[in-house]
Every structure is written in structure tokens, then in C-alpha cells.
Amino acid sequence: MLNKTMLIGNLGADVETRYTKSEVAVANFRVATTEKWKDADGVQQEHTDWHRIVAWKGLAEICGDHLNKGSKVYIEGKIQTRKWD
């Protein structure tokens, strides 16, 4: 099976970087992807989806050092859903 996704979008806020108890870097940030089209009446339409991104270890540190709110990013990875109450 294949679980791969590619996103191009903009960061909605600065990257939040933290460290686990074992000193492993974890970066969390949100990416907005926007789809634009014209409807049957020729009116411009737009829809934005928000994606929560988690990066680990060295990649997390790079994200924290180089990405800021509004940055355009290309993300490639896998989709993983979480459930919580």
C-alpha cells in the first residue's frame, strides 16, 4: 500500500518547536492550501483546507529555524490521523 501526500501552501503561524524528555526535537505547524475555480456562473470561488504538520528530529530543528508565518512550503510525507477526546 502507498500512503504519500504532497502539499504546497503557506504557514498559518510560526513553527512551534519543543523537545521530548529524551531531547528529540518536535516541530508543529499548520499549512493552508487553497483551491480556486470559477463556478457555472463564472464567479470566482475559493476553498482553503488547513493541515497540521509534525516534523521530528533534525527536520524539526530546520523547520523551526527557517520557517515563519506566511512562508510558502512544499511538504511531502504520509497522512496519519489521530483520535482524541
Side-chain angles (χ1 to χ4, degrees):
M1 294 197 179
L2 177 67
N3 182 355
K4 182 176 182 177
T5 188
M6 294 178 276
L7 301 171
I8 298 174
N10 295 309
L11 262 66
D14 288 338
V15 176
E16 297 176 11
T17 305
R18 61 182 176 79
Y19 291 85
T20 64
K21 291 180 182 178
S22 57
E23 298 184 17
V24 175
V26 182
N28 292 285
F29 54 97
R30 296 171 316 193
V31 174
T33 56
T34 302
E35 178 183 9
K36 297 179 182 181
W37 71 95
K38 288 188 179 181
D39 64 16
D41 298 325
V43 177
Q44 182 78 26
Q45 300 290 323
E46 183 176 298
H47 175 75
T48 301
D49 285 307
W50 287 92
H51 312 273
R52 292 177 183 237
I53 308 297
V54 179
W56 292 86
K57 300 180 181 177
L59 182 58
E61 293 177 348
I62 291 169
C63 290
D65 291 342
H66 297 285
L67 300 179
N68 297 306
K69 180 179 179 177
S71 296
K72 185 169 288 291
V73 293
Y74 169 80
I75 305 291
E76 186 171 331
K78 68 178 183 175
I79 294 178
Q80 182 177 1
T81 57
R82 300 181 195 172
K83 295 181 182 180
W84 65 89
D85 291 327

